[in-house]
Amino acid sequence: MASYPVNPHDPGEPYLGFWRERHLCTLTTFRPDGTPHVVPVGVTYDPQAGLARVIADGSSRKVRNVLAAGPDGMAVAVCQVDGRRWATLEGRATVSSDPERVAEAVRRYAERYTRTPRPNPSRVVVEIALTSAMGNP
């Protein structure tokens, strides 16, 4: 299956449409020892802001991995697949506990996944500043 480069800030309707569909995704971060940590997550994609967002508990391994990388964040990837269709977004992840940013991430999650996540006082948002994208939607 071929990989097609996509402008993450101007992806075109087929790619963006695929990211609007309800799909479970994966997030790949790296542990301090350099080994990959791949987990299922919900992802929202905001090409206008150049961001992908993942809501998470502040004590989760994925959050700890990103925080351990320091203030410049960590290179990560999020991916979704549906049969032969797939899409990957790559960029630099940082973690925010800012209430407005978390609320925006929760709002977008609820819109894409058609359910509001349970309340979590230790929720944060992993924000991925997008640098590249690829796929075959």
Side-chain angles (χ1 to χ4, degrees):
M1 185 178 320
S3 163
Y4 300 100
V6 175
N7 178 340
H9 305 284
D10 187 18
E13 188 50 43
Y15 194 82
L16 187 56
F18 186 48
W19 278 101
R20 286 185 186 123
E21 296 172 13
R22 188 180 194 276
H23 295 289
L24 189 60
C25 303
T26 59
L27 168 66
T28 302
T29 62
F30 296 90
R31 297 178 186 96
D33 68 3
T35 59
H37 176 71
V38 183
V39 294
V41 293
V43 176
T44 61
Y45 176 31
D46 181 357
Q48 290 77 22
L51 292 174
R53 295 176 179 92
V54 176
I55 57 174
D57 188 278
S59 66
S60 68
R61 172 86 275 181
K62 61 186 159 283
V63 168
R64 293 194 324 263
N65 288 345
V66 173
L67 290 172
D72 292 334
M74 170 183 284
V76 303
V78 290
C79 183
Q80 67 180 21
V81 64
D82 180 33
R84 296 179 56 86
R85 300 183 311 148
W86 63 277
T88 299
L89 298 168
E90 298 175 335
R92 257 217 74 111
T94 55
V95 176
S96 176
S97 58
D98 176 85
E100 289 181 18
R101 293 171 95 125
V102 172
E104 177 64 8
V106 167
R107 182 191 71 75
R108 288 174 177 275
Y109 177 96
E111 182 178 284
R112 180 175 188 201
Y113 292 97
T114 63
R115 71 173 194 85
T116 301
R118 64 177 168 71
N120 180 350
S122 62
R123 179 172 288 132
V124 297
V125 58
V126 176
E127 293 181 324
I128 304 164
L130 300 173
T131 55
S132 63
M134 63 186 128
N136 187 16

Coordinates of all heavy atoms in Angstrom, one line a residue, residues 45-127:
Y45 N -8.2 16.3 15.2 CA -7.3 17.0 14.2 C -7.8 18.3 13.9 O -8.9 18.5 13.5 CB -7.2 16.0 13.0 CG -6.4 16.5 11.8 CD1 -5.3 17.4 12.0 CD2 -6.8 16.2 10.5 CE1 -4.6 17.8 10.9 CE2 -6.0 16.6 9.4 CZ -4.9 17.4 9.6 OH -4.2 17.8 8.5
D46 N -7.0 19.3 14.1 CA -7.3 20.7 13.8 C -6.3 21.3 12.9 O -5.3 21.9 13.3 CB -7.3 21.5 15.2 CG -7.7 22.9 15.0 OD1 -7.9 23.4 13.9 OD2 -7.8 23.6 16.1
P47 N -6.5 21.2 11.5 CA -5.4 21.7 10.6 C -5.3 23.2 10.7 O -4.2 23.7 10.4 CB -5.9 21.2 9.2 CG -7.4 20.9 9.4 CD -7.6 20.5 10.9
Q48 N -6.3 23.9 11.0 CA -6.2 25.4 11.0 C -5.2 25.8 12.1 O -4.4 26.7 11.9 CB -7.5 26.1 11.2 CG -8.5 26.0 10.0 CD -9.1 24.6 9.9 OE1 -9.3 23.8 10.9 NE2 -9.6 24.3 8.7
A49 N -5.3 25.1 13.2 CA -4.3 25.4 14.3 C -3.0 24.6 14.2 O -2.1 24.9 14.9 CB -5.0 25.1 15.7
G50 N -3.0 23.7 13.3 CA -1.8 22.9 13.1 C -1.6 21.9 14.2 O -0.4 21.6 14.6
L51 N -2.7 21.4 14.9 CA -2.6 20.6 16.0 C -3.4 19.3 15.9 O -4.5 19.3 15.3 CB -3.1 21.3 17.3 CG -2.4 22.5 17.8 CD1 -3.2 23.2 18.9 CD2 -1.0 22.1 18.3
A52 N -2.9 18.3 16.5 CA -3.7 17.1 16.9 C -3.7 17.1 18.4 O -2.7 17.5 19.1 CB -3.0 15.8 16.4
R53 N -4.8 16.7 19.0 CA -5.0 16.7 20.4 C -5.4 15.3 21.0 O -6.2 14.7 20.4 CB -6.1 17.7 20.8 CG -5.7 19.2 20.5 CD -6.9 20.1 20.9 NE -6.6 21.5 20.6 CZ -6.9 22.1 19.5 NH1 -7.5 21.5 18.5 NH2 -6.6 23.4 19.3
V54 N -4.8 15.0 22.1 CA -5.2 13.7 22.8 C -5.4 14.1 24.3 O -4.5 14.7 24.9 CB -4.0 12.7 22.7 CG1 -4.3 11.5 23.6 CG2 -3.7 12.4 21.3
I55 N -6.6 13.8 24.8 CA -6.9 14.0 26.2 C -6.3 12.8 27.0 O -6.4 11.7 26.5 CB -8.3 14.3 26.5 CG1 -9.3 13.2 26.1 CG2 -8.8 15.7 26.0 CD1 -10.7 13.4 26.5
A56 N -5.8 13.1 28.2 CA -5.2 12.0 28.9 C -5.2 12.3 30.4 O -5.3 13.5 30.8 CB -3.8 11.8 28.5
D57 N -5.0 11.3 31.2 CA -4.8 11.5 32.7 C -3.3 12.0 32.8 O -2.4 11.5 32.2 CB -5.0 10.2 33.4 CG -5.0 10.5 34.9 OD1 -3.8 10.5 35.5 OD2 -6.0 10.6 35.5
G58 N -3.1 13.0 33.7 CA -1.8 13.6 33.9 C -0.8 12.6 34.4 O 0.4 12.8 34.3
S59 N -1.2 11.4 35.0 CA -0.3 10.5 35.5 C 0.0 9.3 34.5 O 0.8 8.4 34.8 CB -0.8 9.9 36.8 OG -2.0 9.2 36.6
S60 N -0.6 9.4 33.3 CA -0.4 8.3 32.4 C 1.0 8.2 31.9 O 1.7 9.1 31.8 CB -1.4 8.4 31.2 OG -1.1 9.5 30.4
R61 N 1.4 7.0 31.4 CA 2.7 6.7 30.9 C 3.0 7.6 29.7 O 4.1 8.2 29.5 CB 2.8 5.3 30.5 CG 4.1 4.9 29.7 CD 5.3 4.6 30.6 NE 5.9 5.8 31.0 CZ 7.0 5.9 31.8 NH1 7.6 4.8 32.3 NH2 7.5 7.0 32.1
K62 N 2.0 7.8 28.8 CA 2.2 8.6 27.6 C 2.5 10.1 28.0 O 3.4 10.7 27.4 CB 1.0 8.6 26.6 CG -0.3 9.0 27.2 CD -1.5 8.7 26.2 CE -2.8 8.7 26.8 NZ -3.1 7.5 27.6
V63 N 1.8 10.6 29.0 CA 2.1 12.0 29.4 C 3.4 12.0 30.1 O 4.2 13.0 29.8 CB 1.0 12.4 30.4 CG1 1.3 13.7 31.1 CG2 -0.3 12.6 29.6
R64 N 3.8 11.1 30.9 CA 5.1 11.1 31.6 C 6.2 11.0 30.5 O 7.3 11.6 30.7 CB 5.2 9.9 32.6 CG 4.2 10.1 33.8 CD 4.5 9.2 35.0 NE 4.9 7.9 34.7 CZ 4.1 6.8 34.6 NH1 2.8 6.9 34.8 NH2 4.6 5.6 34.4
N65 N 6.0 10.2 29.5 CA 7.0 10.1 28.4 C 7.3 11.5 27.8 O 8.4 11.9 27.6 CB 6.6 9.1 27.3 CG 6.7 7.7 27.8 OD1 7.3 7.4 28.8 ND2 6.0 6.8 27.0
V66 N 6.2 12.2 27.4 CA 6.3 13.5 26.8 C 6.9 14.5 27.7 O 7.9 15.2 27.3 CB 4.9 14.0 26.2 CG1 5.1 15.4 25.7 CG2 4.4 13.1 25.2
L67 N 6.5 14.5 29.0 CA 7.1 15.4 29.9 C 8.6 15.2 30.2 O 9.4 16.1 30.3 CB 6.4 15.4 31.3 CG 4.9 15.9 31.3 CD1 4.2 15.6 32.6 CD2 4.9 17.4 30.9
A68 N 9.0 13.9 30.1 CA 10.4 13.5 30.4 C 11.3 14.1 29.2 O 12.5 14.2 29.4 CB 10.5 12.0 30.5
A69 N 10.7 14.4 28.1 CA 11.5 14.9 27.0 C 11.9 16.3 27.2 O 12.8 16.8 26.4 CB 10.7 14.7 25.7
G70 N 11.3 17.0 28.1 CA 11.7 18.4 28.4 C 10.8 19.4 27.7 O 9.8 19.0 27.1
P71 N 11.1 20.7 27.9 CA 10.2 21.7 27.4 C 10.0 21.8 25.9 O 9.0 22.3 25.5 CB 10.8 23.0 28.0 CG 12.3 22.7 28.2 CD 12.3 21.2 28.5
D72 N 10.9 21.3 25.1 CA 10.7 21.3 23.7 C 9.8 20.1 23.2 O 9.5 20.0 22.0 CB 12.1 21.2 23.0 CG 12.9 22.5 23.2 OD1 12.2 23.5 23.4 OD2 14.1 22.4 23.1
G73 N 9.4 19.3 24.1 CA 8.5 18.2 23.8 C 9.2 17.0 23.1 O 10.4 16.9 23.1
M74 N 8.4 16.2 22.5 CA 8.9 14.9 21.9 C 8.3 14.7 20.6 O 7.1 15.0 20.3 CB 8.4 13.8 22.9 CG 8.6 12.4 22.3 SD 8.0 11.1 23.4 CE 9.3 11.1 24.7
A75 N 9.0 14.1 19.7 CA 8.5 13.7 18.4 C 7.6 12.5 18.5 O 8.0 11.5 19.2 CB 9.6 13.4 17.4
V76 N 6.4 12.6 18.0 CA 5.4 11.5 18.2 C 4.6 11.3 16.9 O 4.7 12.2 16.0 CB 4.4 11.8 19.3 CG1 5.1 12.0 20.7 CG2 3.5 13.0 19.0
A77 N 3.9 10.3 16.9 CA 3.0 10.0 15.7 C 1.6 9.5 16.3 O 1.6 8.8 17.3 CB 3.6 9.0 14.8
V78 N 0.6 9.9 15.6 CA -0.8 9.3 15.8 C -1.2 8.8 14.5 O -0.9 9.3 13.4 CB -1.8 10.4 16.4 CG1 -1.5 10.8 17.8 CG2 -1.9 11.6 15.5
C79 N -1.9 7.6 14.6 CA -2.3 6.9 13.4 C -3.7 6.4 13.6 O -4.1 6.0 14.7 CB -1.3 5.8 13.1 SG -1.6 4.9 11.6
Q80 N -4.4 6.3 12.5 CA -5.7 5.6 12.5 C -5.8 4.7 11.2 O -5.2 5.1 10.2 CB -6.9 6.5 12.6 CG -7.1 7.4 11.4 CD -8.3 8.3 11.7 OE1 -8.8 8.6 12.8 NE2 -8.9 8.9 10.6
V81 N -6.5 3.6 11.3 CA -6.6 2.7 10.1 C -8.0 2.2 10.1 O -8.7 1.9 11.1 CB -5.6 1.6 10.2 CG1 -5.8 0.7 11.4 CG2 -5.5 0.8 8.9
D82 N -8.5 2.0 8.9 CA -9.8 1.4 8.6 C -9.7 0.6 7.3 O -9.8 1.2 6.2 CB -10.9 2.5 8.5 CG -12.3 1.9 8.3 OD1 -12.6 0.8 8.8 OD2 -13.1 2.6 7.6
G83 N -9.5 -0.7 7.5 CA -9.2 -1.5 6.3 C -8.0 -1.0 5.5 O -6.9 -0.9 6.1
R84 N -8.2 -0.7 4.3 CA -7.1 -0.2 3.4 C -6.8 1.3 3.6 O -5.8 1.8 3.1 CB -7.4 -0.5 2.0 CG -7.4 -2.0 1.7 CD -7.7 -2.3 0.2 NE -6.8 -1.7 -0.7 CZ -5.6 -2.2 -1.1 NH1 -5.2 -3.4 -0.6 NH2 -4.8 -1.6 -1.9
R85 N -7.8 2.0 4.3 CA -7.6 3.4 4.5 C -6.8 3.6 5.8 O -7.0 3.0 6.8 CB -9.0 4.1 4.6 CG -9.8 4.0 3.4 CD -11.1 4.7 3.5 NE -11.8 4.4 4.8 CZ -12.6 5.3 5.4 NH1 -12.8 6.5 4.9 NH2 -13.2 5.0 6.5
W86 N -5.9 4.6 5.7 CA -5.1 4.9 6.9 C -4.6 6.4 6.8 O -4.6 7.0 5.7 CB -4.0 4.0 7.1 CG -3.0 4.0 6.0 CD1 -3.0 3.4 4.7 CD2 -1.8 4.8 5.9 NE1 -1.9 3.7 4.0 CE2 -1.1 4.5 4.7 CE3 -1.1 5.6 6.8 CZ2 0.1 5.2 4.3 CZ3 0.1 6.2 6.5 CH2 0.7 6.0 5.2
A87 N -4.2 6.9 8.0 CA -3.7 8.3 8.0 C -2.8 8.4 9.3 O -3.1 7.9 10.3 CB -4.8 9.3 8.1
T88 N -1.7 9.1 9.1 CA -0.8 9.3 10.2 C -0.5 10.8 10.2 O -0.3 11.5 9.2 CB 0.6 8.6 10.0 OG1 0.3 7.2 9.9 CG2 1.6 8.9 11.1
L89 N -0.4 11.3 11.4 CA 0.0 12.7 11.7 C 1.2 12.7 12.6 O 1.3 11.9 13.6 CB -1.1 13.5 12.4 CG -2.4 13.7 11.7 CD1 -3.5 14.2 12.7 CD2 -2.3 14.6 10.5
E90 N 2.2 13.5 12.3 CA 3.5 13.5 13.1 C 3.8 14.9 13.5 O 3.4 15.9 12.8 CB 4.6 13.0 12.2 CG 4.5 11.6 11.7 CD 5.6 11.1 10.8 OE1 6.2 12.0 10.1 OE2 5.8 9.9 10.8
G91 N 4.4 15.0 14.6 CA 4.8 16.3 15.1 C 5.4 16.3 16.5 O 5.8 15.2 17.0
R92 N 5.5 17.5 17.1 CA 6.1 17.6 18.4 C 5.1 17.7 19.5 O 4.2 18.6 19.4 CB 6.9 18.9 18.5 CG 8.2 18.8 18.4 CD 9.5 18.9 18.4 NE 10.3 18.4 19.6 CZ 11.1 17.4 19.5 NH1 11.2 16.7 18.4 NH2 11.8 17.0 20.5
A93 N 5.1 16.8 20.4 CA 4.1 16.8 21.5 C 4.5 17.5 22.7 O 5.7 17.4 23.1 CB 3.7 15.4 21.8
T94 N 3.6 18.3 23.3 CA 3.8 18.9 24.6 C 2.6 18.6 25.4 O 1.5 18.3 24.8 CB 4.1 20.4 24.5 OG1 3.0 21.0 23.8 CG2 5.4 20.7 23.8
V95 N 2.6 18.9 26.7 CA 1.5 18.6 27.6 C 1.1 19.9 28.2 O 1.9 20.7 28.6 CB 1.9 17.6 28.7 CG1 0.7 17.4 29.7 CG2 2.3 16.3 28.1
S96 N -0.3 20.1 28.2 CA -0.8 21.3 28.8 C -1.9 21.0 29.8 O -2.7 20.1 29.5 CB -1.4 22.3 27.8 OG -2.0 23.4 28.4
S97 N -1.9 21.6 31.0 CA -2.9 21.5 31.9 C -3.8 22.7 32.0 O -4.7 22.9 32.9 CB -2.4 21.1 33.3 OG -1.5 22.2 33.7
D98 N -3.5 23.7 31.1 CA -4.3 24.9 31.1 C -5.8 24.6 30.9 O -6.2 23.9 29.9 CB -3.8 25.8 29.9 CG -4.7 27.0 29.7 OD1 -4.4 28.0 30.4 OD2 -5.7 27.0 28.9
P99 N -6.7 25.0 31.8 CA -8.1 24.7 31.8 C -8.8 24.9 30.4 O -9.6 24.2 30.0 CB -8.7 25.4 32.9 CG -7.6 25.7 33.8 CD -6.4 25.9 33.0
E100 N -8.4 26.1 29.8 CA -9.1 26.4 28.5 C -8.6 25.4 27.4 O -9.4 25.0 26.6 CB -8.8 27.8 28.1 CG -9.5 28.9 29.0 CD -9.2 30.3 28.6 OE1 -8.8 30.5 27.4 OE2 -9.5 31.2 29.4
R101 N -7.4 25.1 27.4 CA -6.9 24.2 26.4 C -7.4 22.8 26.6 O -7.8 22.1 25.6 CB -5.3 24.2 26.4 CG -4.8 25.5 25.9 CD -3.3 25.5 26.2 NE -2.6 25.1 25.0 CZ -1.7 25.9 24.4 NH1 -1.4 27.1 24.9 NH2 -1.1 25.5 23.3
V102 N -7.5 22.4 27.8 CA -8.1 21.0 28.1 C -9.6 21.0 27.7 O -10.0 20.1 27.1 CB -7.9 20.7 29.6 CG1 -8.7 19.4 30.0 CG2 -6.4 20.5 29.9
A103 N -10.3 22.1 28.1 CA -11.7 22.2 27.7 C -11.9 22.1 26.2 O -12.8 21.5 25.7 CB -12.3 23.4 28.3
E104 N -11.1 22.8 25.5 CA -11.2 22.8 24.0 C -10.9 21.3 23.5 O -11.6 20.9 22.6 CB -10.2 23.7 23.4 CG -10.2 23.7 21.9 CD -11.5 24.2 21.2 OE1 -12.4 24.6 21.9 OE2 -11.6 24.0 20.0
A105 N -9.9 20.7 24.1 CA -9.7 19.3 23.6 C -10.8 18.4 24.0 O -11.2 17.5 23.2 CB -8.4 18.8 24.3
V106 N -11.4 18.6 25.1 CA -12.6 17.7 25.5 C -13.8 18.0 24.6 O -14.5 17.1 24.2 CB -13.0 18.0 27.0 CG1 -14.3 17.4 27.3 CG2 -11.9 17.4 27.9
R107 N -14.0 19.3 24.3 CA -15.1 19.6 23.4 C -14.9 19.0 22.0 O -15.8 18.4 21.4 CB -15.1 21.2 23.2 CG -16.3 21.6 22.3 CD -16.2 23.1 21.9 NE -15.1 23.4 21.0 CZ -15.1 23.1 19.7 NH1 -16.2 22.5 19.1 NH2 -14.1 23.4 18.9
R108 N -13.7 19.0 21.5 CA -13.4 18.4 20.2 C -13.5 16.9 20.2 O -14.0 16.3 19.3 CB -12.0 18.8 19.7 CG -12.0 20.3 19.2 CD -10.6 20.7 18.9 NE -10.6 22.1 18.4 CZ -10.8 22.4 17.1 NH1 -11.1 21.5 16.2 NH2 -10.8 23.7 16.8
Y109 N -13.1 16.3 21.3 CA -13.2 14.9 21.5 C -14.7 14.5 21.5 O -15.1 13.5 20.9 CB -12.6 14.4 22.9 CG -12.7 13.0 23.2 CD1 -11.7 12.1 22.8 CD2 -13.8 12.5 23.8 CE1 -11.8 10.7 23.1 CE2 -14.0 11.1 24.1 CZ -13.0 10.2 23.7 OH -13.1 8.9 24.0
A110 N -15.5 15.2 22.3 CA -17.0 14.9 22.4 C -17.6 15.0 21.0 O -18.5 14.2 20.7 CB -17.6 15.8 23.4
E111 N -17.2 16.0 20.2 CA -17.7 16.2 18.9 C -17.4 15.0 18.0 O -18.2 14.4 17.3 CB -17.2 17.5 18.3 CG -17.8 17.8 16.9 CD -17.2 19.1 16.5 OE1 -17.7 20.2 17.0 OE2 -16.3 19.1 15.6
R112 N -16.1 14.6 18.0 CA -15.7 13.5 17.1 C -16.2 12.2 17.5 O -16.6 11.3 16.7 CB -14.2 13.5 17.0 CG -13.7 12.3 16.0 CD -12.3 12.2 15.8 NE -12.1 11.3 14.7 CZ -10.9 10.7 14.5 NH1 -9.9 10.9 15.2 NH2 -10.8 9.8 13.5
Y113 N -16.2 11.9 18.8 CA -16.5 10.6 19.3 C -17.9 10.4 19.9 O -18.3 9.4 20.4 CB -15.4 10.1 20.4 CG -14.1 9.9 19.7 CD1 -13.1 10.9 19.7 CD2 -13.8 8.7 19.0 CE1 -11.9 10.7 19.1 CE2 -12.6 8.5 18.4 CZ -11.6 9.5 18.4 OH -10.4 9.3 17.8
T114 N -18.7 11.5 19.7 CA -20.1 11.6 20.1 C -20.4 11.1 21.5 O -21.4 10.5 21.8 CB -21.0 10.8 19.1 OG1 -20.7 9.4 19.1 CG2 -20.9 11.3 17.7
R115 N -19.5 11.4 22.4 CA -19.7 11.2 23.8 C -18.7 12.1 24.6 O -17.6 12.3 24.2 CB -19.5 9.7 24.2 CG -18.1 9.2 24.2 CD -18.0 7.8 24.8 NE -16.6 7.5 25.0 CZ -15.9 7.7 26.1 NH1 -16.5 8.4 27.1 NH2 -14.7 7.3 26.3
T116 N -19.2 12.6 25.7 CA -18.4 13.4 26.6 C -17.7 12.5 27.5 O -18.3 11.6 28.2 CB -19.3 14.4 27.4 OG1 -20.0 15.2 26.4 CG2 -18.5 15.3 28.3
P117 N -16.4 12.7 27.6 CA -15.6 11.8 28.5 C -16.0 12.1 30.0 O -16.4 13.2 30.3 CB -14.2 12.2 28.3 CG -14.2 13.5 27.6 CD -15.5 13.6 26.9
R118 N -15.8 11.1 30.8 CA -16.1 11.3 32.2 C -15.3 12.4 32.8 O -14.2 12.6 32.4 CB -15.9 10.0 33.0 CG -14.5 9.5 33.0 CD -14.3 8.2 33.8 NE -13.0 7.7 33.6 CZ -11.8 8.2 34.0 NH1 -11.8 9.3 34.7 NH2 -10.7 7.6 33.8
P119 N -15.8 13.1 33.9 CA -14.9 14.1 34.5 C -13.6 13.5 35.1 O -13.6 12.4 35.5 CB -15.8 14.6 35.7 CG -17.2 14.2 35.2 CD -17.1 13.0 34.4
N120 N -12.6 14.3 35.0 CA -11.3 13.8 35.5 C -10.5 15.0 35.9 O -10.0 15.8 35.0 CB -10.5 13.0 34.4 CG -9.2 12.5 34.9 OD1 -8.7 12.9 35.9 ND2 -8.5 11.7 34.1
P121 N -10.4 15.3 37.2 CA -9.7 16.5 37.7 C -8.2 16.5 37.3 O -7.6 17.6 37.3 CB -9.9 16.5 39.2 CG -10.3 15.1 39.5 CD -10.9 14.5 38.3
S122 N -7.6 15.4 37.0 CA -6.2 15.4 36.6 C -6.0 15.3 35.1 O -4.9 15.0 34.6 CB -5.5 14.2 37.3 OG -6.0 13.0 36.9
R123 N -7.1 15.6 34.3 CA -6.9 15.5 32.9 C -6.0 16.6 32.3 O -6.0 17.8 32.8 CB -8.3 15.7 32.2 CG -8.3 15.7 30.7 CD -9.7 15.6 30.1 NE -10.2 14.3 30.3 CZ -11.4 14.0 30.8 NH1 -12.2 15.0 31.0 NH2 -11.8 12.8 30.9
V124 N -5.3 16.3 31.3 CA -4.4 17.2 30.6 C -4.6 16.9 29.1 O -5.4 16.0 28.7 CB -2.9 17.0 30.9 CG1 -2.6 17.3 32.4 CG2 -2.5 15.6 30.6
V125 N -4.0 17.8 28.3 CA -4.1 17.6 26.8 C -2.7 17.4 26.3 O -1.8 18.2 26.6 CB -4.9 18.6 26.1 CG1 -4.3 20.0 26.4 CG2 -5.0 18.3 24.6
V126 N -2.5 16.4 25.5 CA -1.2 16.3 24.7 C -1.5 17.0 23.4 O -2.4 16.6 22.7 CB -0.9 14.8 24.5 CG1 0.4 14.7 23.6 CG2 -0.7 14.1 25.8
E127 N -0.8 18.1 23.2 CA -1.0 18.8 21.9 C 0.2 18.5 21.0 O 1.4 18.7 21.4 CB -1.0 20.3 22.2 CG -2.3 20.7 23.0 CD -2.3 22.2 23.3 OE1 -1.3 22.8 23.5 OE2 -3.4 22.8 23.2

